[in-house]
């Protein structure tokens, strides 16, 4: 289990990285970007991924930050997940994102793995894409033509694929202010603590005068990419925030789910069922969360 | 000279045994925590090459051609091995049953995914793996044999054409009047069980460095070898070398549990060394290789079993039909795994008659290998599950049903219908203690309250008898003849009185070096710090076996005591001569040979050893200047089996009762272990901390087998588990921190009264968890008779019961 | 063929300058290039935790890190724990010995390095916090109970003011 050979570059600046990626792309090279490498390294070891060139963003220390920009939480792409999990700022500003981060793997993984790396990897079993879909999340990327901002809904394309161009570098993740009144929860089901989830659900919603408003529910681990459970969201909109409605939302979510994945640990039917259970649990947890 | 081995610690020639019986720190640990132990991958030899193995992607295919020319030309490559070399130089590996073996590398066809088809030796592992990609193999695909059912169907494709069948072994045993007790039974409780493949997965995979000395035709293999001499004899057979030209040097091992494998990797590395002009070749199996094709897949079993029960709950008969999917060959000695339950077939119970019908079949799954316990973990799960089914049917508390059927204390030594003799025990005492430890009535009250809320809590009370100190005689009727398993040591004093014990095995984790040091220190009256345990290479070590069959702690204790008894005799002779006293007046006590009636008058063993080595003029005639002794121990009083396999096989019978409390999540099928208690009796606890470690470690592996671990294959025999992402070993979150207590009923027949204790928790835990799950499911009228109890599997049952639907997805109770 | 990279890594306080292939893992670099065999390799795909080391004082799996990624960084392995001359064991090592927190010892360096990070950040962890910290390390021998006890014992002994 040793990686196949590859060439290696570790650009010292973002500009250098973009120029390098552009040049390599022009030359037709098969390039992979490595940040923390916690997802890529096993793929290299198994020779499932065998790039000709590896571009290491590890020197882009300027992208390692977590800060508040006028109420918007901005996390540099190279900030480690553990830094996000430990950050009081993240906990205050984006409690759902903080909770999701604590669910990722184990500390050794979170220490090395970066926030940007996870989003760019777009593993369907990852908590992050689903969380991005229920928060107002934007991705900032820099390419040869400068910087652009990509809303979460346009960022995740399909299995391990984002809308980033090959010569673009994800530089930051921006979370719009999370209103203190807003409720949130994340629930996942894994075989063991720390394993990739067989299924998971992230929710945000408001409860106004006892009624559900602006309900957002997203599932992960069940399809090629994280997915909003819009049928359940619509069903719940304006309904009383009560257990029977959350259960019904779970049933609606499960029923409406297209083609869940199957694997040795969970059949498509079981995954569908889990999404329903987890959606109902997440809604219940969110509704019960003290303001 | 008849040697008497002490059977109690009190018989050691020491006023107060200072080490045996205490949880002393282990002598192996300072180096282990320092990271300086020479596990095989830490060893480097001059000129060493690195081996990588190309493995079959197909479960069943004929090899049409193998082209290695590009690989041979690749950077750093020194030698390439193919099936053609193997056919020319080798014989198939030894198997049981005989004749179901493969060569170390496929020569004509591949029989499982992961079977080696070629191998490369290069200057680094990285380059060797690069070269594998340049080897071109053309296959002609054959229909795979995926299941025992397919294997036994008429006209089935054959895994081994030359055998004419896929049935490796079919054997029926009958002990007592089975038909009569079943005919006279008031109840017959029968079920079918499926135990899916699990395996050992030690944290260190197999590894070796082989060097073929082309000048004198001697092969030296360093590696993670559990049974060095046995491995050497096997290599001599497969590589066509005289056995005394194969030297095995056992390195410390990162765990084993029986599933370390090794024969194939060793042979391939050895042949590459031969092709590379005698340069040493290192092969370190990687985890993917281990999971696909290493020695880590065990127990792929289908059971059909029944108990005959009287109206009062007395169990009179036990019938078992086992079909065991051995995979592609018997290189893992599958008959042993199937036949080992004979040593404790009827468990803790006075069951008067039993029958065992076993069929081993070959398929295109990977060959199965030994794993902790060998055969009893699935067998005990079947027996204990049937006991619970009986309890439910008869509406008797499961603890009470067991109590009624226990072998009684006054019945020991007790011969079970399948022939083995249990040495000692008091099962009722252990049961009562564990019920108190777990507060069984409180658990039942908790369960009742939870059930009233619609929750699924389950409790189990599960026993085992752990046959300890294995002997080959147990397997004579299934093709592995022999009586006795030698384990030898040399105990040597140097001129200063320091003690070295040379053994034939190396560290694997159980702490046998520490036990050896405790025993020898207490006998010779020295401090443990003065003792060193050293592993001898197989060519100079005394006959030995190594770890296996819950045996080594007892066996090495016996061997050391035997050697010490011999030393005592020699030292007494010398002291008598020097002190000019009759030998009969002298005794060994606290490290001195001294006058029985005047202890101050005597010599220390150090003085005697020094004198022997430096003053031959003072020695009595006929005494060599050698303060050393060897002794090879084997279990006493073993006999040959009759035609039904009945014999005194395993020397000791440790036993335990576990009480588990689990909860099933109605919505997801997830099982959580809420409480776990153990009381056991394995006789004298030579080092209680070691015993505790064996118990808790066995629980962890049992939890894995019961809930998490499974080698999954698809219908075409393609393995779907090749990484730790899918083979799920329990972490610290999944293993219960158990409550434990114990009794000590010394074995009357074993050295210092100690019984084998390495496997019992693995016999008990899977059964305890499955029985608790079924207790939880009882209100739904459902039973889970398959392992592991994965959430998906449990959920399907809950679906069938309609429970999940009735209760809604959030599990809100109405 | 990929060109070698020059890297400079400080390992256990000692500066090493080497030319390495980019694909070389940090685990193989430590074990085979530097001869620090205490960092054991159990799975090479980031699950078992046996190869856990500290990079800039933070735990990391050496099999999921390339040696080139360690360029310019500080790495600490199990070999850094023991006192260099006296050979005296670190309190974490001693606690694992005293509480029988190991059997085969293959996974132990990974557990101890993970424990080191835990106790530096949290000298008085609860049982749950210990489990959370050790959840990424697999042990096949001990069943974890004695490991948990070892970490508790180490924490107790390492607390400021604890008797030596």
């Amino acid at each position: 289990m040793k990686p196949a050979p590859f060439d290696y570059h570790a650009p010292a600046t973002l500009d250098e990285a973009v120029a390098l990626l552009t040049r390599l792309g022009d030359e037709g090279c098969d390039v992979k970007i490595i940040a923390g490498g916690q997802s890529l390294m096993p793929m290299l070891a198994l020779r499932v991924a065998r790039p000709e060139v590896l571009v290491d963003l590890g020197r882009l220390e300027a992208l390692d930050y977590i800060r508040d920009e006028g109420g918007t939480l901005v996390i540099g792409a190279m900030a480690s997940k553990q830094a996000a999990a430990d950050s009081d700022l993240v906990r205050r500003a984006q409690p759902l994102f903080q909770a999701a981060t604590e669910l990722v793997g184990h500390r050794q993984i979170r220490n090395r793995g970066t926030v940007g790396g996870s989003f760019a990897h777009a593993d369907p079993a990852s908590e992050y894409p689903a969380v991005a879909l229920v928060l107002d999340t934007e991705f900032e990327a820099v390419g040869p033509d400068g910087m652009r901002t990509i809303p979460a809904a346009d960022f995740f394309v399909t299995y391990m694929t984002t809308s980033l161009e090959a010569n673009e570098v994800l530089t930051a993740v921006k979370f719009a202010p999370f209103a203190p009144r807003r409720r949130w929860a994340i629930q996942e089901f894994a075989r063991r603590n720390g394993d990739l989830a067989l299924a998971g659900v992230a929710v945000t919603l408001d409860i106004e005068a006892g009624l559900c408003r602006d309900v957002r529910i997203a599932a992960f681990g069940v399809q090629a990419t994280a997915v909003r459970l819009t049928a359940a969201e619509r069903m719940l909109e304006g309904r009383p925030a009560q257990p029977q409605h959350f259960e019904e939302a779970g049933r609606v979510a499960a029923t409406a789910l297209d083609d869940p994945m199957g694997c040795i640990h969970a059949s498509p039917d079981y995954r569908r069922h889990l999404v329903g259970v987890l959606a109902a649990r997440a809604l219940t947890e969110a509704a019960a969360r003290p303001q | 000279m008849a040697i008497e081995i002490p059977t109690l610690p009190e018989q050691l020639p020491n006023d107060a045994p200072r080490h045996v019986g205490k949880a002393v720190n282990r002598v192996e640990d300072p180096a282990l925590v320092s990271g300086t132990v020479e596990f095989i991958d830490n060893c480097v030899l001059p000129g060493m090459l690195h081996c990588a193995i190309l493995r079959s992607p197909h479960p069943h295919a004929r090899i049409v051609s193998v082209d290695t020319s590009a690989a041979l030309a690749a950077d750093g490559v020194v030698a390439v091995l193919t099936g053609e070399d193997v056919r020319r130089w080798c014989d198939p590996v030894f198997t049981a049953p005989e004749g179901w073996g493969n060569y170390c590398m496929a020569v004509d066809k591949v029989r499982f995914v992961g079977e080696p088809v070629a191998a490369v030796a290069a200057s680094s592992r990285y380059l060797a793996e690069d070269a594998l990609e340049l080897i071109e193999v053309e296959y002609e695909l054959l229909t795979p044999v995926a299941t025992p059912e397919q294997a036994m169907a008429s006209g089935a494709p054959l895994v081994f054409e030359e055998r004419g069948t896929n049935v490796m072994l079919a054997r029926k045993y009958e002990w007592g009047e089975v038909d009569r007790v079943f005919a006279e039974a008031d109840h017959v409780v029968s079920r079918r069980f499926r135990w899916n493949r699990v395996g050992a997965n030690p944290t260190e995979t197999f590894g070796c460095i082989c060097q073929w000395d082309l000048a004198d035709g001697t092969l030296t293999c360093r590696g993670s070898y559990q049974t060095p001499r046995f491995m050497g004899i096997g290599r001599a057979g497969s590589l066509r070398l005289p056995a005394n030209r194969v030297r095995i040097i056992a390195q410390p091992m990162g765990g084993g549990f029986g599933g370390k494998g090794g024969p194939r990797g060793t042979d391939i590395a050895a042949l590459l060394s031969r092709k590379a002009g005698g340069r040493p070749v290192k092969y370190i199996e990687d985890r993917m290789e281990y999971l696909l094709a290493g020695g880590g897949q065990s127990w792929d079993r289908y059971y059909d079993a029944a108990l005959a029960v009287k109206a009062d709950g007395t169990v009179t008969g036990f019938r078992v039909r086992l079909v065991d999917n051995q995979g592609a060959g018997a290189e893992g000695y599958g008959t042993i795994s199937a036949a080992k339950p004979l040593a404790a077939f009827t468990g803790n119970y006075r069951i008067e008659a039993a029958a065992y019908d076993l069929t081993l079949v070959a398929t295109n799954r990977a060959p199965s290998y030994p794993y902790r316990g060998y055969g009893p973990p699935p067998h005990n799960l079947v027996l204990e599950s049937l006991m619970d089914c009986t309890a439910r049917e008869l509406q008797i508390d499961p603890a009470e049903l067991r109590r009624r059927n226990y072998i009684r204390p006054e019945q020991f030594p007790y011969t079970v219908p399948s022939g083995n003799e249990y040495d000692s025990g008091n099962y009722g005492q252990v049961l009562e203690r564990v019920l108190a430890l777990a507060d069984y009535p409180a658990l039942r009250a908790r369960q009742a309250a939870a059930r009233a809320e619609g929750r699924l809590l389950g409790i189990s009370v599960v026993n085992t008898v752990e046959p300890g100190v294995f002997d080959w005689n147990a397997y004579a009727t299934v093709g592995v003849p022999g009586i006795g398993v030698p384990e030898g040591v040399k105990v040597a004093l140097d001129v200063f009185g320091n003690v070295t014990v040379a053994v034939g095995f190396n560290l694997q984790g159980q702490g046998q070096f520490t036990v050896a040091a405790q025993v020898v220190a207490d006998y010779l009256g020295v401090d443990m710090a003065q003792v060193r345990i050293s592993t001898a290479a197989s060519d100079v070590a005394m006959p030995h076996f190594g770890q296996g069959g819950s045996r080594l702690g007892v066996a090495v204790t016996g061997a050391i005591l035997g050697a010490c008894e011999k030393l005592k005799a020699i030292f007494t002779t010398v002291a008598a001569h020097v002190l000019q006293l009759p030998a009969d007046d002298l005794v060994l006590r606290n490290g001195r040979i001294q006058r029985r009636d005047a202890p101050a008058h005597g010599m220390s063993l150090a003085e005697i050893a020094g004198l022997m080595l430096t003053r031959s003029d003072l020695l009595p005639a006929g005494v060599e200047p050698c303060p050393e002794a060897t002794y090879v121990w084997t279990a006493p009083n073993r006999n040959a089996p009759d035609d039904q396999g009945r014999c005194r096989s395993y020397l000791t019978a440790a036993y335990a009762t576990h009480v588990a409390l689990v909860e099933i999540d109605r919505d997801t099928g997830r099982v959580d272990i809420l409480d776990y208690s153990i009381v056991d009796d394995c006789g004298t606890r030579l080092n209680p901390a070691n015993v505790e470690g064996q118990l808790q470690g066995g629980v962890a592996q049992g939890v894995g087998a019961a809930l998490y671990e499974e080698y999954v294959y698809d219908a075409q025999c393609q393995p779907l588990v090749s990484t730790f992402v899918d083979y799920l070993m329990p972490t610290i979150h999944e293993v219960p921190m158990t409550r434990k207590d114990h009794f000590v009923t010394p074995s009357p027949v074993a050295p210092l009264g100690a019984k084998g204790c390495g496997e019992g928790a693995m016999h008990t835990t899977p059964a305890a968890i499955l029985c608790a799950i079924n207790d939880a499911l009882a209100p739904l009228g459902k039973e889970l008779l398959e392992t592991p109890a994965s959430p998906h599997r449990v959920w399907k049952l809950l679906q069938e019961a309609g429970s999940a639907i009735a209760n809604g997805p959030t599990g809100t109770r109405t | 063929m990929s060109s070698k990279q020059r890297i400079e890594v400080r390992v256990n306080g000692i500066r090493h300058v080497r030319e390495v292939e980019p694909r070389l893992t940090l685990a193989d670099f430590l074990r085979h290039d530097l001869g620090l065999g205490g960092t054991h390799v159990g799975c090479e795909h980031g699950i078992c935790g046996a190869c856990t080391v500290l990079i800039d004082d933070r735990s990391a799996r050496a099999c999921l890190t390339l040696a080139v990624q360690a360029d310019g960084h500080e790495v600490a392995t199990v070999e850094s724990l023991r006192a260099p001359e006296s050979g005296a064991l670190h309190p974490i090592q001693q606690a694992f010995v005293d509480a029988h927190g190991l059997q085969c010892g293959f996974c132990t360096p990974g557990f101890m390095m993970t424990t080191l990070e835990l106790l530096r950040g949290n000298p008085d962890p609860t049982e749950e916090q210990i489990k959370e910290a050790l959840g990424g390390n697999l042990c096949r021998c001990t069943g974890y109970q004695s490991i948990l006890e070892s970490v508790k014992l180490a924490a107790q002994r390492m607390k400021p003011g604890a008797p030596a």
Side-chain angles (χ1 to χ4, degrees), chain B residues 362-688:
Chain B
T363 67
N364 292 111
R365 291 188 171 197
S368 57
Y369 267 77
Y371 181 24
R372 195 175 202 162
Y374 233 152
H379 180 88
N380 204 49
L381 176 126
V382 168
L383 173 57
E384 289 296 300
S385 292
L386 285 176
M387 289 298 283
D388 266 24
C389 294
T390 303
R392 275 195 291 279
E393 248 177 77
L394 273 59
Q395 296 189 309
I396 301 174
D397 181 272
E400 172 57 22
L401 181 72
R402 285 167 170 84
R403 195 182 279 124
R404 285 184 201 172
N405 283 283
Y406 280 150
I407 297 161
R408 290 187 287 265
E410 66 275 14
Q411 291 180 292
F412 291 93
Y414 183 87
T415 300
V416 293
S418 50
N420 192 25
E421 184 182 276
Y422 294 171
D423 54 347
S424 63
N426 187 334
Y427 301 159
Q429 181 176 260
V430 160
L431 175 76
E432 304 315 329
R433 175 75 62 91
V434 77
L435 293 178
L437 184 69
D439 198 350
Y440 185 63
L443 290 185
R444 286 289 178 203
R446 189 170 160 188
Q447 179 186 41
R451 278 183 177 168
E453 295 172 22
R455 290 163 59 199
L456 300 176
L457 262 67
I459 300 163
S460 63
V461 180
V462 160
N463 302 298
T464 194
V465 170
E466 174 182 3
V469 192
F470 107 89
D471 202 282
W472 290 119
N473 64 353
Y475 309 114
T477 54
V478 288
V480 193
I483 301 176
V485 185
E487 194 67 47
V489 302
K490 182 178 82 173
V491 177
L493 277 73
D494 70 16
V495 69
F496 305 108
N498 300 303
V499 181
T500 301
V501 179
V503 297
F505 59 89
N506 211 323
L507 299 178
Q508 197 182 48
Q510 302 92 332
Q512 283 110 353
F513 278 24
T514 300
V515 166
Q518 288 175 272
V519 171
V520 81
D522 278 356
Y523 194 104
L524 298 178
V526 298
D527 195 83
M528 274 178 71
Q530 277 180 269
V531 179
R532 200 169 155 270
I533 313 298
S534 183
T535 301
S538 67
D539 56 343
V540 293
M542 300 301 292
H544 60 270
F545 183 78
Q547 289 92 354
S550 258
R551 170 187 160 280
L552 190 55
V554 174
V556 79
T557 297
I560 288 171
L561 293 174
C564 286
E565 291 283 332
K566 284 162 83 170
L567 278 176
K568 178 176 75 175
I570 299 164
F571 280 37
T572 304
T573 305
V574 173
H577 184 74
V578 173
L579 299 171
Q580 299 193 317
L581 290 166
D584 287 349
D585 288 358
L586 297 176
V587 290
L588 170 65
R589 201 81 203 160
N590 302 326
R592 289 164 51 81
I593 303 286
Q594 59 197 27
R595 273 181 66 170
R596 200 183 304 272
D597 53 355
H601 192 189
M603 295 175 77
S604 73
L605 297 185
E607 287 171 321
I608 300 170
L611 182 141
M612 288 175 77
L613 288 163
T614 60
R615 291 296 303 271
S616 62
D617 57 317
L618 298 180
L619 293 183
V623 170
E624 297 166 56
C626 181
E628 304 185 355
T630 62
Y631 190 82
V632 183
W633 186 88
T634 190
N637 198 26
R638 303 300 91 188
N639 59 346
D642 67 11
D643 65 337
Q644 293 301 306
R646 285 174 290 219
C647 60
R648 288 183 302 276
S649 54
Y650 283 65
L651 181 68
T652 65
Y655 53 99
T657 306
H658 295 201
V659 174
L661 174 71
V662 307
E663 177 159 16
I664 299 172
D665 178 348
R666 285 185 100 120
D667 301 329
T668 64
R670 180 191 163 101
V671 175
D672 283 310
I673 303 166
L674 305 182
D675 197 76
Y676 206 103
S677 302
I678 300 173
V679 174
D680 83 298
D681 183 350
C682 61
T684 302
R685 292 163 117 79
L686 298 170
N687 184 326

Side-chain angles (χ1 to χ4, degrees), chain B residues 123 127 196 206 296-297 299 356 390 510 530 537 599 647 688 697 715 728 788:
Chain B
S123 53
L127 293 175
N196 286 291
F206 171 75
Q297 300 193 23
W299 309 324
Y356 193 23
T390 303
Q510 302 92 332
Q530 277 180 269
C647 60
L728 306 177

Side-chain angles (χ1 to χ4, degrees), chain B residues 243-310:
Chain B
N244 68 344
R245 300 238 171 240
V246 179
R247 248 177 111 223
I248 301 283
I249 301 174
Q251 298 295 135
M253 282 162 277
F257 318 109
K260 206 79 172 178
R264 284 175 181 264
T266 303
D267 287 356
I268 288 169
L271 293 170
L272 279 170
S273 172
R274 185 173 177 176
K275 286 198 91 168
R279 289 175 70 174
V281 174
K282 176 186 271 191
Y283 170 60
I284 303 294
E285 178 180 61
D286 68 33
R287 183 58 61 179
M288 204 164 162
E289 294 180 286
Y290 183 84
L291 287 165
L292 282 178
Q297 300 193 23
S298 309
W299 309 324
D300 192 341
R301 297 188 160 183
Y302 302 78
Y303 282 98
D304 198 341
L307 289 180
V309 187
K310 291 292 199 187

Side-chain angles (χ1 to χ4, degrees), chain A residues 229-251:
Chain A
L229 304 175
T230 49
E233 292 175 356
R234 280 197 303 272
M235 178 244 116
L236 211 50
E237 193 65 37
R239 293 270 188 103
Q242 286 166 358
Q244 65 269 32
H245 297 292
F246 297 147
E247 282 165 31
E248 194 190 336
R251 281 192 290 272

